[in-house]
């Protein structure tokens, strides 16, 4: 950091004893900068969220800055973001080295290479509680377009952060190539076939005439070119001893497994896969005014998966990218939360979508039959066996997807056999020594705590790690942002095409119910209600009595909230766009009014302790704060114990 400090003193004339806070741009200026970097932000958002989850540090933030040091996008826990905002660490803040001295983002922009600025390395003392790791992001032309940074208050040296950052930057660069050259053919290659479709692969994009348009860093390194400009414009047959048409044809014949070829310059052997341009089959995913580009994968959606819940949509796209590389996916979620629906949507958007989706519920099969169900058997293998034998579920899933539901209930003795199949990709049916090769995508699911089962010795640790290539947690119905949309979708499905409406009081009850059985329970309730309904309108009396009994237990809404709950006019005006009085409450629809009454009663019951109310509803405090704001229930942090 010596050279950076020298620049701060000599070039920028900064005084370490007179710290400066970064300039924070106005909203309009920030939006202008975001527009200029829109494609970089689109490619980075999902990767930043994934990186933040990998770090698992709530005292950290992942940020993307432009070439002037402006924070364009930030992923952090709300509490950490609020605290960091006090020192100017927020979207719109300019963290250039010339403004705030030595820091990860600004110094990385100057040197153009990965940097780690740890605590006392910072030029200004106010930032010495922070550790910053930053890496540059380059566009397909090789120009530096952004910096990706992880800033943390952790006391430990975050060496692994730089490694993860570097990997994330490469993924963003690869996505940027895909986005800017969607009309060209992507060509993946490596000297070792198992590294194709991984972060280590080389990637070229090739035009219809066979000319190379762009290359990632790994491709340049493997082929021995110093820069993108040195390879751009060359024909693919000048690099490999083959043509684009030949690679496309051979890739299709091999089901897009790598095929061998040789380098023209060095006689090195490479393994190559080419695909048709993404514009032919891969639309972008539009959601809530933002765009996420999922390169080389169709958007995957399911009847109860997508809708308006951005968390599920984001997880679905992450899982789709992972399963495309045949990495196992492990789903967690409460009973009835839609794990199989999610798995089916994942299958439909995968490279093995043309194969079968085979679901096995490990909890519903007798222990004595699980082995024969999974592996199959030959004729006469045991008493009661079918005369012709039987193909097992794993063989049925060949070139498709095997979904093992409630995997935590699989007997310990069978877990060893499953682990061997996953490692060797071949099976031996019962009653025979014959081995049959299989190739399938694996999705597992459980509502149980598998790490605890491992600790208790009832689930194999090595199998758990083999299954959990990517772990996805599905939110329960009560926490989904698209609950109302789901309610009406399921209602129309159960009404068999008849257009049905719901009375406001019935809708309010359905929306406020905690749904411990999740989507499965919702469907069962609506199926019964549709049968009982007279005509095309669902009324309160059509709902099950157990559901209606909750109305009697509802607290009465408070006629007038305590004076201490009324926020100052300035706050109300800025947050709600006007006075938070009767006009605001009158704008609430009947469902919102009912939900507001329930929340007010809970708050009163818990003496306005937000943490206790959040626990009672089984949601996070941040989710509760958003709900209170939406329902026009202000909180005065100085008057009530909200912590």
């Amino acid at each position: 950091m010596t050279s950076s400090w020298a620049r701060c003193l000599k070039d920028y004339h900064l005084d370490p004893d007179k710290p400066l806070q970064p300039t924070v741009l106005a909203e309009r200026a920030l939006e202008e900068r975001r527009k200029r970097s829109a494609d970089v932000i689109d490619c980075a958002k999902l990767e930043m969220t994934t990186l933040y989850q990998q770090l698992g540090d709530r005292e950290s933030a992942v940020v993307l800055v432009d070439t002037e040091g402006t924070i364009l996008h930030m992923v952090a826990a709300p509490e950490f973001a609020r605290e960091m905002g006090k020192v100017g660490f927020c979207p719109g803040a300019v963290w250039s080295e010339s403004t705030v001295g030595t820091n990860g983002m600004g110094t990385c922009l100057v040197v153009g290479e990965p940097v780690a600025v740890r605590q006392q390395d910072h030029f200004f003392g106010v930032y010495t509680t922070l550790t910053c790791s930053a890496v540059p992001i380059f566009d397909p032309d090789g120009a530096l377009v952004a910096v990706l940074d992880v800033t943390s208050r952790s006391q430990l040296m975050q060496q692994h952060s730089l490694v993860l950052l570097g990997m994330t930057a490469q993924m963003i660069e690869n996505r940027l190539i895909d986005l800017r050259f969607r009309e060209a053919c992507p060509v993946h290659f490596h000297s070792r076939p198992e590294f194709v479709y991984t972060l280590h692969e080389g990637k070229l994009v090739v035009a219809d005439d066979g000319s190379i348009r762009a290359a990632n860093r790994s491709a340049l390194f493997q082929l021995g070119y110093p820069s993108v400009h040195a390879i751009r414009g060359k024909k693919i047959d000048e690099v490999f001893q083959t043509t684009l048409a030949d690679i496309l044809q051979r890739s299709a014949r091999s089901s897009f497994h790598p095929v061998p070829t040789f380098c023209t310059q060095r006689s090195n052997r490479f393994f190559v896969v080419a695909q048709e341009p993404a514009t032919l089959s891969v639309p972008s995913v539009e959601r809530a005014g933002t765009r996420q580009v999922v390169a080389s994968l169709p958007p995957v959606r399911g009847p109860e998966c997508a809708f308006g819940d951005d968390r599920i949509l984001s997880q679905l796209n992450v899982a789709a990218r992972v399963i495309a590389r045949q990495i196992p996916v492990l789903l967690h979620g409460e009973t009835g939360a839609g794990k199989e629906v999610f798995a089916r949507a994942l299958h439909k958007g995968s490279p093995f979508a043309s194969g079968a989706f085979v679901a096995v519920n490990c909890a519903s099969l007798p222990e004595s039959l699980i082995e024969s169900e999974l592996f199959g058997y030959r004729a006469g293998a045991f008493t009661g066996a079918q005369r012709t034998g039987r193909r097992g579920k794993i063989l049925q899933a060949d070139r498709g997807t095997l979904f093992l539901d409630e995997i935590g209930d699989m007997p310990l003795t069978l877990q060893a056999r499953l682990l061997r199949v996953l490692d060797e990709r071949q099976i031996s049916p019962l009653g025979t020594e014959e081995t049959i090769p299989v190739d399938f995508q694996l999705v597992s699911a459980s509502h149980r705590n598998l790490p605890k089962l491992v600790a208790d010795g009832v689930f194999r640790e090595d199998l758990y790690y083999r299954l959990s290539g990517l772990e996805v947690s599905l939110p329960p119905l009560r926490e989904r942002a698209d609950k109302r949309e789901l309610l009406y979708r399921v209602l129309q499905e159960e009404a068999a095409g008849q257009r049905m409406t719901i009375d406001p009081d019935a809708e309010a009850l359905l929306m406020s119910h905690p749904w411990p059985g999740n989507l499965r329970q919702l469907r069962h309730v609506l199926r019964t209600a549709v049968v009982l309904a007279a005509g095309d309108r669902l009324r309160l009396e059509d709902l099950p009595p157990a559901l209606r009994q909750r109305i009697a237990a509802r607290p009465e809404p408070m006629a007038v909230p305590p004076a201490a709950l009324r926020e100052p006019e300035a706050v109300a005006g800025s947050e709600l766009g006007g006075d938070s009085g009767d006009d605001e409450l009158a704008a609430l629809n009947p469902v919102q009014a009912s939900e507001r009454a329930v929340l007010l009663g809970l708050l009163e019951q818990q003496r306005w302790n937000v943490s206790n109310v959040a626990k009672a509803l089984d949601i996070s405090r941040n989710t509760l704060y958003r709900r209170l704001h939406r329902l026009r229930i202000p909180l005065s942090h100085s008057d009530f114990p909200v912590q």
Side-chain angles (χ1 to χ4, degrees), residues 33-43 179:
R33 298 207 179 183
R34 282 174 169 163
K35 286 180 183 177
R36 291 201 295 265
S37 301
D39 55 354
V40 181
I41 297 173
D42 278 348
C43 293
L179 177 60

Side-chain angles (χ1 to χ4, degrees), residues 185 205-213 231 233-239 242-245:
C185 296
V205 284
V206 184
D208 288 341
D209 62 0
S211 61
I212 296 173
R213 304 285 306 281
I231 196 173
K234 289 185 178 293
K235 299 289 187 180
I236 189 71
D237 55 11
E238 295 180 67
V239 176
T242 185
T243 62
L244 177 62

Side-chain angles (χ1 to χ4, degrees), residues 75-211:
V75 180
E79 298 88 350
F80 185 69
R82 281 195 296 270
E83 292 179 34
M84 293 298 292
K86 298 173 185 176
V87 294
F89 194 91
C90 60
V94 182
W95 280 73
S96 63
E97 189 182 69
S98 60
T99 303
V100 292
T102 305
N103 71 90
M105 295 166 280
T107 302
C108 182
L109 282 169
V110 173
V111 300
E113 59 187 34
V115 299
V117 180
R118 299 181 179 87
Q119 298 179 333
Q120 300 302 323
D121 292 339
H122 286 87
F123 187 78
F124 289 131
V126 68
Y127 306 124
T128 55
T129 59
L130 304 175
T131 294
C132 307
S133 304
V135 296
I137 296 173
F138 299 96
D139 70 4
D141 292 324
L144 194 155
V145 291
V147 161
L148 188 66
D149 171 270
V150 170
T151 293
S152 173
R153 276 202 301 233
S154 173
Q155 298 297 315
L156 301 175
M157 292 176 59
Q158 302 289 319
Q159 186 59 41
H160 70 284
S161 298
L162 262 179
V163 176
L164 291 173
L165 269 170
M167 295 168 64
T168 304
Q170 289 182 55
M171 288 188 279
I172 294 171
E173 290 172 0
N174 287 343
R175 288 167 66 88
L176 199 54
I177 290 174
D178 290 332
L179 177 60
R180 292 192 180 179
F181 296 95
R182 293 176 61 79
E183 78 291 349
C185 296
V187 176
H188 313 261
F189 70 92
H190 200 278
S191 58
R192 295 174 58 179
E194 64 268 26
F195 286 161
V196 176
Y197 294 129
T198 73
L199 189 60
H200 305 289
E201 71 172 6
K203 175 179 278 190
L204 305 173
V205 284
V206 184
D208 288 341
D209 62 0
S211 61

Side-chain angles (χ1 to χ4, degrees), residues 212-228:
I212 296 173
R213 304 285 306 281
N216 68 359
R217 284 190 262 177
S218 178
L220 297 175
F221 174 77
Q222 292 186 68
L223 298 174
Y225 286 91
S227 67
V228 175

Side-chain angles (χ1 to χ4, degrees), residues 412-611:
L412 196 59
T413 53
L414 193 57
Q415 293 174 25
R417 281 204 67 184
L418 176 61
L419 181 63
R420 186 171 181 179
V421 170
L422 297 180
D423 287 337
E424 298 179 358
R425 293 286 163 166
Q426 58 185 19
I427 63 168
S428 296
L430 296 177
T432 178
E433 295 180 358
E434 176 190 7
T435 58
I436 304 173
V438 288
D439 191 14
F440 57 86
Q441 301 169 152
L442 180 64
V443 182
S444 307
S446 181
H447 72 281
R448 304 180 67 183
N449 187 332
L450 291 186
K452 186 178 185 303
L453 296 182
V454 170
D456 293 342
V458 295
F459 199 87
R460 292 180 64 107
E461 184 175 19
D462 48 2
L463 178 59
Y464 169 66
Y465 290 124
R466 189 67 176 79
L467 296 173
S468 58
L470 173 73
E471 296 194 43
V472 174
S473 294
L474 299 182
L477 176 60
R478 60 183 172 274
E479 292 183 13
R480 287 183 61 159
D482 57 348
K483 185 163 61 174
R484 187 174 187 274
E485 196 171 0
L486 275 174
L487 169 64
Y488 277 91
R489 172 60 181 266
V490 174
L491 175 64
Q492 301 311 323
E493 288 178 357
E494 294 302 326
Q498 179 186 3
R499 188 70 181 173
M500 294 197 69
T501 58
I502 309 177
D503 282 351
D505 52 353
E507 183 183 273
L509 180 58
L510 290 168
M511 287 295 293
S512 63
H513 189 66
W515 299 110
N518 293 291
L519 290 164
R520 189 176 294 123
Q521 182 190 9
L522 172 67
R523 186 172 292 279
H524 178 75
V525 166
L526 291 179
R527 181 175 300 163
T528 304
V530 166
V531 173
L532 297 176
D536 59 357
R537 192 170 189 84
L538 200 67
R539 301 161 302 168
L540 190 63
E541 51 266 35
D542 297 325
L543 299 177
L547 218 64
R548 297 201 306 270
Q549 286 172 5
R550 296 186 67 248
I551 299 177
R554 282 183 183 173
E556 290 295 322
M558 298 169 63
V560 181
L565 293 180
R566 302 191 186 107
E567 291 182 334
E569 282 188 46
V571 175
S574 62
E575 290 294 313
L576 304 178
D579 293 332
S580 57
D582 294 338
D583 291 340
E584 287 291 337
L585 299 183
L588 297 178
N589 62 40
V591 176
Q592 291 172 324
S594 176
E595 187 178 359
R596 186 177 190 275
V598 172
L599 277 179
L600 281 170
L602 280 173
L603 285 164
E604 188 70 10
Q605 183 182 357
Q606 298 292 340
R607 299 180 60 81
W608 293 85
N609 187 305
V610 173
S611 294

